[in-house]
Amino acid sequence: MTTINTIILPLYVQKFIIKLLCRHINNNNKLIEPLDVFIDYRDNEDEIKRLIITIALVSKDWFKSLSNYLNVAVDFNFLEKEKDNQFTIFKEENIKILKIHYDHEKKYFYKMIPRIKKNIEEIENNNNNNNNNNNNNNNNNNNNNNNKNEGNNENNNNENNNNENNNILLDNEEENKKYIEKEISLNFVNKRLENLSKNGIFKKLIFRNINTHQNIEIIDQLFECEATEEGLQVLEFELNEDTTMERINHYKKKIKKVFSVIINECLNEELIVDVFKNWSEDLNQFYIISCSITPFPIFQILAGIGEITSFTSDFLNDSSNSINNNNNINNNNNNNNNNNNNNNNNNNNNNNNNNNNNNNIINNKPYKTGRNYLSNIQFFEIYGMEITFEELEVLITPTITPKLRYLSINICFDKLMYFLATEQERVKLNIPRCNCCSLLNEQFGYDPQDQKDFDTHWAIISNLLKNNKTLKALDLGHECTDAGELMSWTDTFPTSFVERVGGLVSSIPNLSRFIMMGANCPQIFHEIAKQNKSIIHFESGILSGLTDHSNYALSLETLIENNPHIESFNFSKFCFALENGAYAYKKISVFNFPKK
């Protein structure tokens, strides 16, 4: 009979292990990364929850140590101090950081609960009963009243109990949703913030806001404490047509860190620069929703190599104050460093540069910021603007964006195809030339030099991508200001176009994910799979009616069968659908590999 010797680690070693695990849990609970390109935010959240339960169930000592070391709470997953919380993992008195979720579009705080079969069956049964009784209107009214009452009863602290399934906000059209939103009232949020502020260690509030298509006044309605007035971190800050310097200055006092800056038709370069100047050290994402008119080279300006040429009175007033402050600081630095000649020379040079910029602001002359505000950006998502080769070169230059991981841009595939095709292919296939301003700015008409300029820029882009060691995911979409979101070309694609685009994508050394939307050319995926086996995640989407999506899907299925290195491939079609009284594109999944 074999004897198994059990080795019991000393208690202090066990506690040290738990402390390391709690550090990992706390760090993950602080995450506000918005993309699911590399990690699904909610799936990661579930893994952390399972890890917490696993540790807690080992022993009473492990449970106690876990509870003592966990100090980052999510959506109030803890009981109040006054309650009997001896069997609660998260305790109010230990919370230093709280993360809450807010949807600006739906105008409520919320938490996510897994969508389980029981939820769906209950809803379907309720719907069937309603139909049988022909009391839909009355039942809907009753359900609305019940939802309101439950929102007001959040203070009873029963959101962690079985009753939470009764307050489900479900979009019946999205049957594949893995999670369901549960509303949390503002009154409940403020009451819990007030209680947390009394524990003496609660210092930070992470405000994971989404759908920021308006101002973020909701944070002004939060209970005033150190966490909401000085330690506030937000996911998104949007600059739009209504943004003013006064509004920016107001939130600069309250918001300590911003993860993502969103540009939505903001044409004021000074406002954009000021936001980046204040929060660039913590910015991870730059997201342009729409910028139909770009009268200034925004990426070059933020990289410190483009000139600011327009001025506003608000910015001048704000800059005048900063000018005086900078001059006072610089003068003090010079006085304090008189004994060091090298330092004096460096400070004097910096002062001269600052003073030149300040004088240019005052005199309304073009000037450069002289600072790269894009150095910490990991995610670029750019839609609704015609990006040029010059702008793209800025975004993928390693010295400007050394942390770049994800790049999503829209270009005109019709124009790209024309310039990548050979002269023989253009004649044989009768390929037209698009006169939009994507890639090459052709607002002044055709130029015989265009093909040479294109080839020069293509070589530069190819070389930059070939030597880019950080880019993990590339998303190319079709968009044209002349032809819209429909690619004009639906015929046979020229071989040169397929090979050169496939070769460009395949040359990126550490790329693992490639997404292409709006181009009905599955041959490009075949070319990439043939050239680069390290690209293992793919996604494609086409507009319904543009091409036969069944043949497109068949081509992709053949690709998957012949390339076992491919780990995932999602294929969707987009069609116009009536939503909220207006027609909009709706994404419909055709197939997912592997099946979820």
Side-chain angles (χ1 to χ4, degrees):
M1 182 176 178
T2 304
T3 302
I4 300 176
N5 294 323
T6 303
I7 302 175
I8 300 177
L9 293 175
L11 188 58
Y12 75 91
V13 176
Q14 296 181 39
K15 287 185 177 180
F16 181 74
I17 294 172
I18 297 171
K19 187 175 182 179
L20 292 178
L21 289 171
C22 288
R23 186 181 300 171
H24 168 73
I25 294 169
N26 286 330
N27 287 336
N28 274 269
N29 281 341
K30 288 188 290 186
L31 281 179
I32 56 173
E33 191 166 287
L35 297 174
D36 60 357
V37 175
F38 306 108
I39 183 173
D40 187 290
Y41 178 77
R42 291 299 178 181
D43 285 348
N44 181 65
E45 200 173 65
D46 279 350
E47 287 183 13
I48 293 300
K49 289 178 181 178
R50 287 193 293 270
L51 176 60
I52 292 172
I53 297 299
T54 302
I55 297 172
L57 293 177
V58 172
S59 69
K60 186 176 181 180
D61 287 329
W62 280 50
F63 182 96
K64 184 178 179 181
S65 297
L66 179 71
S67 181
N68 289 335
Y69 290 131
L70 290 180
N71 53 42
V72 181
V74 180
D75 297 328
F76 306 100
N77 56 347
F78 58 91
L79 289 180
E80 294 174 275
K81 188 175 181 180
E82 291 78 10
K83 307 290 184 180
D84 183 10
N85 61 6
Q86 61 175 321
F87 299 113
T88 303
I89 298 175
F90 288 88
K91 291 182 170 58
E92 185 178 71
E93 59 267 28
N94 296 332
I95 303 304
K96 296 180 180 179
I97 301 172
L98 172 67
K99 180 171 67 177
I100 56 177
H101 295 74
Y102 184 81
D103 190 323
H104 290 272
E105 192 172 86
K106 298 174 182 177
K107 297 181 180 178
Y108 59 59
F109 294 92
Y110 65 96
K111 65 180 294 184
M112 301 296 284
I113 57 176
R115 184 182 183 184
I116 57 177
K117 188 175 181 181
K118 181 181 178 182
N119 299 141
I120 302 172
E121 290 176 347
E122 286 179 353
I123 293 171
E124 289 177 345
N125 289 335
N126 288 336
N127 289 337
N128 290 334
N129 292 334
N130 290 340
N131 291 331
N132 293 334
N133 295 328
N134 294 320
N135 290 326
N136 289 334
N137 292 333
N138 292 334
N139 285 332
N140 287 335
N141 291 334
N142 290 336
N143 287 336
N144 290 334
N145 291 332
N146 288 336
N147 284 336
K148 290 179 181 178
N149 291 335
E150 287 171 28
N152 294 331
N153 289 333
E154 292 277 6
N155 293 337
N156 292 333
N157 212 17
N158 289 328
E159 62 181 273
N160 295 317
N161 297 333
N162 294 330
N163 293 335
E164 66 185 356
N165 291 335
N166 297 327
N167 193 24
I168 294 170
L169 305 170
L170 178 64
D171 184 353
N172 291 323
E173 294 182 357
E174 300 183 34
E175 296 181 355
N176 292 323
K177 271 188 174 180
K178 296 163 66 177
Y179 305 95
I180 303 170
E181 293 181 3
K182 178 182 184 298
E183 183 177 354
I184 303 174
S185 70
L186 176 62
N187 288 337
F188 177 80
V189 170
N190 280 335
K191 181 178 183 297
R192 300 303 294 273
L193 288 175
E194 182 179 5
N195 291 339
L196 269 177
S197 65
K198 298 174 183 176
N199 72 7
I201 59 173
F202 176 52
K203 304 294 182 183
K204 293 181 182 178
L205 176 66
I206 298 174
F207 187 70
R208 194 181 189 277
N209 53 324
I210 60 171
N211 298 326
T212 322
H213 302 312
Q214 53 189 304
N215 295 343
I216 53 175
E217 282 87 357
I218 186 65
I219 67 175
D220 293 322
Q221 300 177 40
L222 297 175
F223 176 79
E224 293 185 5
C225 59
E226 183 177 348
T228 58
E229 295 297 308
E230 299 177 14
L232 188 61
Q233 302 178 24
V234 302
L235 172 65
E236 299 175 350
F237 187 89
E238 180 177 306
L239 290 160
N240 52 44
E241 295 172 314
D242 300 323
T243 304
T244 63
M245 184 60 71
E246 181 181 6
R247 173 176 173 252
I248 292 174
N249 287 335
H250 170 69
Y251 288 117
K252 280 197 296 189
K253 298 174 183 177
K254 301 174 74 76
I255 300 174
K256 185 178 181 180
K257 293 182 180 180
V258 174
F259 182 95
S260 174
V261 165
I262 299 174
I263 306 296
N264 187 6
E265 294 296 354
C266 177
L267 304 181
N268 190 315
E269 55 194 324
E270 292 84 18
L271 297 182
I272 297 173
V273 169
D274 193 71
V275 165
F276 273 81
K277 181 172 63 176
N278 191 68
W279 289 308
S280 64
E281 290 185 5
D282 301 296
L283 280 178
N284 280 254
Q285 183 188 42
F286 187 14
Y287 186 5
I288 295 181
I289 295 177
S290 178
C291 196
S292 55
I293 302 174
T294 51
F296 49 88
I298 182 60
F299 302 118
Q300 290 90 327
I301 289 174
L302 292 175
I305 57 177
E307 290 186 336
I308 296 180
T309 56
S310 62
F311 303 88
T312 64
S313 58
D314 285 342
F315 182 77
L316 289 174
N317 292 334
D318 181 70
S319 297
S320 298
N321 295 330
S322 63
I323 290 168
N324 294 330
N325 292 334
N326 286 336
N327 286 337
N328 290 334
I329 293 171
N330 290 329
N331 289 333
N332 290 334
N333 287 338
N334 282 334
N335 292 333
N336 292 332
N337 293 313
N338 284 331
N339 294 329
N340 190 313
N341 291 330
N342 292 331
N343 286 342
N344 273 337
N345 290 334
N346 291 333
N347 286 333
N348 286 331
N349 289 333
N350 289 333
N351 288 337
N352 289 333
N353 291 333
N354 288 334
N355 288 332
N356 287 336
N357 287 342
N358 295 336
N359 291 332
N360 287 334
I361 294 174
I362 294 173
N363 296 322
N364 283 14
K365 292 181 180 180
Y367 75 99
K368 297 179 181 179
T369 64
R371 180 181 171 186
N372 178 17
Y373 293 113
L374 303 178
S375 59
N376 290 319
I377 303 294
Q378 299 181 39
F379 306 96
F380 281 100
E381 288 191 81
I382 303 163
Y383 309 103
M385 67 174 288
E386 294 181 314
I387 192 167
T388 64
F389 272 127
E390 288 86 355
E391 292 168 326
L392 182 55
E393 288 164 14
V394 171
L395 297 182
I396 62 176
T397 298
T399 54
I400 296 176
T401 56
K403 298 181 181 180
L404 176 65
R405 296 169 59 200
Y406 174 79
L407 176 64
S408 177
I409 59 171
N410 285 350
I411 59 175
C412 177
F413 280 118
D414 288 310
K415 187 171 186 176
L416 180 65
M417 181 182 66
Y418 175 86
F419 279 104
L420 289 179
T422 63
E423 189 61 39
Q424 292 80 2
E425 288 172 326
R426 292 174 191 166
V427 173
K428 181 180 178 179
L429 299 175
N430 194 24
I431 301 174
R433 174 172 174 172
C434 183
N435 60 358
C436 69
C437 294
S438 176
L439 300 177
L440 290 177
N441 192 336
E442 299 183 275
Q443 59 179 324
F444 301 112
Y446 295 156
D447 189 318
Q449 186 75 11
D450 286 345
Q451 183 65 55
K452 186 176 180 180
D453 289 344
F454 179 92
D455 292 338
T456 299
H457 283 296
W458 183 262
I460 294 172
I461 295 294
S462 299
N463 185 61
L464 287 171
L465 289 175
K466 183 179 179 180
N467 293 286
N468 192 302
K469 302 295 193 298
T470 61
L471 186 60
K472 306 290 185 182
L474 177 64
D475 183 346
L476 298 179
H478 171 77
E479 189 168 15
C480 175
T481 53
D482 289 357
E485 296 176 339
L486 284 169
M487 189 176 179
S488 300
W489 188 256
T490 59
D491 209 336
T492 304
F493 284 87
T495 303
S496 297
F497 170 70
V498 173
E499 291 180 347
R500 295 181 73 179
V501 172
L504 179 77
V505 175
S506 300
S507 69
I508 305 173
N510 294 315
L511 195 74
S512 62
R513 184 181 296 270
F514 176 65
I515 303 167
M516 185 172 71
M517 297 289 179
N520 51 318
C521 186
Q523 297 93 328
I524 289 179
F525 292 104
H526 287 265
E527 186 68 26
I528 294 170
K530 180 176 69 175
Q531 294 192 35
N532 190 335
K533 303 298 183 183
S534 64
I535 302 176
I536 56 177
H537 301 289
F538 294 90
E539 186 174 350
S540 178
I542 59 172
L543 291 171
S544 180
L546 179 64
T547 187
D548 186 349
H549 72 266
S550 60
N551 291 336
Y552 194 103
L554 184 62
S555 176
L556 297 181
E557 288 172 353
T558 302
L559 168 70
I560 295 169
E561 290 175 3
N562 296 333
N563 294 275
H565 70 280
I566 296 178
E567 294 185 6
S568 69
F569 204 124
N570 300 328
F571 173 50
S572 305
K573 65 177 181 178
F574 296 85
C575 61
F576 279 109
L578 186 63
E579 194 170 294
N580 298 325
Y583 281 96
Y585 280 117
K586 187 172 183 64
K587 184 177 181 180
I588 302 173
S589 176
V590 177
F591 74 77
N592 290 313
F593 170 80
K595 292 183 179 180
K596 297 180 179 179

